[in-house]
Amino acid sequence: SEQSYDVVVVGAGGAGFSAAIEAAQAGKSVVIIEKMPAVGGNTLISGGEMNAPGNWVQKKLGIEGDSVETYYQDTMKGGDNLGNPEMVRYLAEHALESAEWLRDVVGVKFLEDKLFQFGGHSYKRALIPEGHTGQELVTKLNAKAEELGVKILVNTKATELIQDDSKRVVGVKADHQGQVVTFHAKNGVVLTTGGFGSNVDMRKQYNPEMDERYLSTDSVGSTGDGIVMAQAIGAAVTNMSSIQTYPVSNPETGEISLLADTRFDGAVLINQEGQRFVEELDRRDVISKAILAQPGGYAYQLWNQKTDDISHSKEHHQAEYQELKKQGLLVEADTLEEVAAHFDIDPAKLKETVAKVNQYAKDKKDPDFNHRAGLASLEEGPYILEKVRPSVHHTMGGLVTDKDTRVLDEAGNPIEGLYAAGELTGMIHGSNRLGGNAIADIITFGRVAGKMVSK
Ligand code: ADP
């Protein structure tokens, strides 16, 4: 069958919804096609935190001194200066506006009294959506898109871009339950299909180290489709070998452990021998490699109730806590002996390690691994011990675009009618994406794509 719209958006994650909303507000007829049975992509299952320098919560908390320039510098440096300076600057200049747009136009609720400071950031600048996951973002984006008359078709997988004789992109071929559907796009096509973290073959093609040993935190839909479809008509890619792993994930399903955010408040990592082996606040790639080098290729995160009282981690991620417990991947008990016994760790070794941690916390000095925030005392139970393993989390590389989100070919010329935004682009994060920068990126450039395709 055939369908016609002004704008066809491929992929219903944060970038796709942002593009669709802007295009609809510009008066265009818009469809979003989504291959999975439900919308949301990685945006839905992420923590949903979003960096915005100079934001209203910073003002409320009295956090002064943050600026567009500092955020720009942090982001460039965090990616070993491999991001595109012009586009990173655009992100830094517009992240706050994007957050305000989510708040005021889309109706997203952010916590008013708390911010995250992820690794590599000079300030606490990441807004936290209510519920501490991307669900708040996706629910509100979806509702806004529907309100504006955007058509959203699930179970509809784009397979091929269609070009006219002048090579302009004029539509998409898709598969809907075994039927070919052709979507004609009068203005253009916006690709927002996310990254390729769930596609092991594609990972290995660009970075052989990212093989089967790594599960993935990503949605099963993150298979790089948009990148491959665009490449098939001559689009250029960049930075494809840069693949980020998240160190503390579910060792059986690969899911990200948001419960383990207690790591930012003093939880420690230990191996099967009951010993620490890495600085717990080192870069994601460093910790991931260190965990894989331990016996069995996994580790445990240990914290106590006092640490959780600071993080409120169990409260915010109750479902994950219960699920891990049920799977036998987490234990909570009053004493170190008990938690050690659950995982067959030598209790004497674990106690020895924790005694050291307590001493280092007191001395405010960690001679073993130089914990940058200073260790927290784990003197008192109850204790929580969680088994963890690194998972592929984000693919930094992807399509080459310009600041207007036009997809560029190998010669650097825009492919007419084709736009891209979100994780499938490779312009922002360089070798290493900083926490809280994916949402800022996808909303900012998703909106740009929606405006540009509507022109
Ligand atoms: P971003 O963060 O860039 O918005 P997400 O992962 O949140 O990326 O969303 C990408 C969405 O695109 C996912 O919901 C995914 O299932 C969808 N998707 C991926 N490939 C296709 C395809 N070939 N056709 C339609 N939708 C797709």
Side-chain angles (χ1 to χ4, degrees), residues 161-360:
L161 294 165
I162 307 167
Q163 291 173 288
D164 68 9
D165 293 341
S166 73
K167 300 277 180 211
R168 182 187 172 84
V169 174
V170 292
V172 181
K173 276 210 174 108
D175 176 290
H176 176 67
Q177 293 167 341
Q179 312 269 62
V180 178
V181 187
T182 303
F183 291 91
H184 299 283
K186 210 162 115 204
N187 281 64
V189 171
V190 184
L191 293 175
T192 51
T193 53
F196 58 97
S198 295
N199 185 338
V200 180
D201 287 336
M202 191 162 169
R203 271 162 30 192
K204 287 200 291 191
Q205 178 189 345
Y206 292 103
N207 184 340
E209 211 195 308
M210 295 294 147
D211 61 13
E212 289 80 359
R213 290 173 307 157
Y214 291 94
L215 296 171
S216 172
T217 67
D218 294 345
S219 146
V220 294
S222 297
T223 47
D225 301 9
I227 298 173
V228 174
M229 281 188 283
Q231 279 181 304
I233 63 162
V237 294
T238 183
N239 197 26
M240 292 296 282
S241 65
S242 293
I243 297 175
Q244 178 170 73
T245 56
Y246 195 81
V248 288
S249 310
N250 184 312
E252 276 162 28
T253 64
E255 283 163 280
I256 190 168
S257 180
L258 298 176
L259 180 74
D261 281 353
T262 49
R263 187 164 54 95
F264 306 122
D265 292 308
V268 294
L269 291 170
I270 60 154
N271 61 17
Q272 186 63 43
E273 258 107 63
Q275 273 156 349
R276 284 176 74 217
F277 56 90
V278 73
E279 193 232 328
E280 286 81 357
L281 293 185
D282 210 325
R283 272 167 64 149
R284 290 173 174 178
D285 52 348
V286 174
I287 300 178
S288 298
K289 274 191 196 151
I291 292 175
L292 283 184
Q294 301 311 303
Y298 56 80
Y300 300 97
Q301 185 165 309
L302 174 73
W303 69 99
N304 62 358
Q305 184 57 45
K306 258 196 158 156
T307 308
D308 208 279
D309 289 341
I310 298 167
S311 294
H312 300 290
S313 188
K314 283 193 287 178
E315 178 193 328
H316 293 315
H317 304 290
Q318 262 184 52
E320 189 195 340
Y321 174 80
Q322 295 302 345
E323 189 56 33
L324 286 169
K325 237 177 161 174
K326 218 166 67 197
Q327 293 174 315
L329 295 170
L330 177 144
V331 59
E332 174 162 1
D334 286 338
T335 65
L336 287 171
E337 282 89 350
E338 287 166 278
V339 293
H342 178 85
F343 289 114
D344 219 8
I345 298 169
D346 180 349
K349 284 270 172 56
L350 184 63
K351 281 168 83 174
E352 204 178 292
T353 297
V354 171
K356 262 200 217 168
V357 168
N358 296 338
Q359 189 59 48
Y360 296 165

Side-chain angles (χ1 to χ4, degrees), residues 4-282:
S4 292
Y5 299 87
D6 294 329
V7 174
V8 176
V9 177
V10 186
F17 277 120
S18 301
I21 290 169
E22 286 293 348
Q25 283 184 325
K28 303 295 163 192
S29 65
V30 186
V31 66
I32 308 181
I33 60 174
E34 165 58 53
K35 72 172 171 181
M36 302 298 286
V39 300
N42 275 348
T43 307
L44 178 70
I45 56 178
S46 74
E49 293 89 3
M50 174 182 197
N51 296 313
N55 68 59
W56 62 97
V57 181
Q58 285 181 328
K59 293 207 173 95
K60 201 159 163 187
L61 298 179
I63 297 166
E64 279 167 30
D66 197 8
S67 66
V68 165
E69 181 60 26
T70 315
Y71 176 44
Y72 168 80
Q73 296 292 348
D74 287 349
T75 300
M76 287 300 292
K77 189 162 161 244
D80 295 320
N81 292 307
L82 293 172
N84 176 282
E86 190 193 16
M87 287 184 67
V88 175
R89 169 124 356 242
Y90 187 91
L91 169 68
E93 284 169 354
H94 291 82
L96 176 56
E97 187 192 316
S98 301
E100 289 169 344
W101 178 79
L102 282 178
R103 185 193 63 187
D104 300 336
V105 176
V106 181
V108 169
K109 291 215 166 73
F110 291 104
L111 303 189
E112 286 295 327
D113 57 356
K114 202 174 155 104
L115 295 166
F116 258 25
Q117 180 173 5
F118 288 103
H121 289 282
S122 302
Y123 293 92
K124 280 192 185 197
R125 59 163 74 104
L127 297 158
I128 306 165
E130 265 188 8
H132 290 237
T133 76
Q135 177 147 23
E136 168 71 9
L137 306 179
V138 170
T139 306
K140 299 288 167 64
L141 285 164
N142 190 27
K144 186 72 194 175
E146 280 180 354
E147 178 195 316
L148 292 168
V150 172
K151 190 149 178 200
I152 301 163
L153 301 175
V154 294
N155 292 313
T156 307
K157 179 184 174 174
T159 52
E160 204 182 315
L161 294 165
I162 307 167
Q163 291 173 288
D164 68 9
D165 293 341
S166 73
K167 300 277 180 211
R168 182 187 172 84
V169 174
V170 292
V172 181
K173 276 210 174 108
D175 176 290
H176 176 67
Q177 293 167 341
Q179 312 269 62
V180 178
V181 187
T182 303
F183 291 91
H184 299 283
K186 210 162 115 204
N187 281 64
V189 171
V190 184
L191 293 175
T192 51
T193 53
F196 58 97
S198 295
N199 185 338
V200 180
D201 287 336
M202 191 162 169
R203 271 162 30 192
K204 287 200 291 191
Q205 178 189 345
Y206 292 103
N207 184 340
E209 211 195 308
M210 295 294 147
D211 61 13
E212 289 80 359
R213 290 173 307 157
Y214 291 94
L215 296 171
S216 172
T217 67
D218 294 345
S219 146
V220 294
S222 297
T223 47
D225 301 9
I227 298 173
V228 174
M229 281 188 283
Q231 279 181 304
I233 63 162
V237 294
T238 183
N239 197 26
M240 292 296 282
S241 65
S242 293
I243 297 175
Q244 178 170 73
T245 56
Y246 195 81
V248 288
S249 310
N250 184 312
E252 276 162 28
T253 64
E255 283 163 280
I256 190 168
S257 180
L258 298 176
L259 180 74
D261 281 353
T262 49
R263 187 164 54 95
F264 306 122
D265 292 308
V268 294
L269 291 170
I270 60 154
N271 61 17
Q272 186 63 43
E273 258 107 63
Q275 273 156 349
R276 284 176 74 217
F277 56 90
V278 73
E279 193 232 328
E280 286 81 357
L281 293 185
D282 210 325

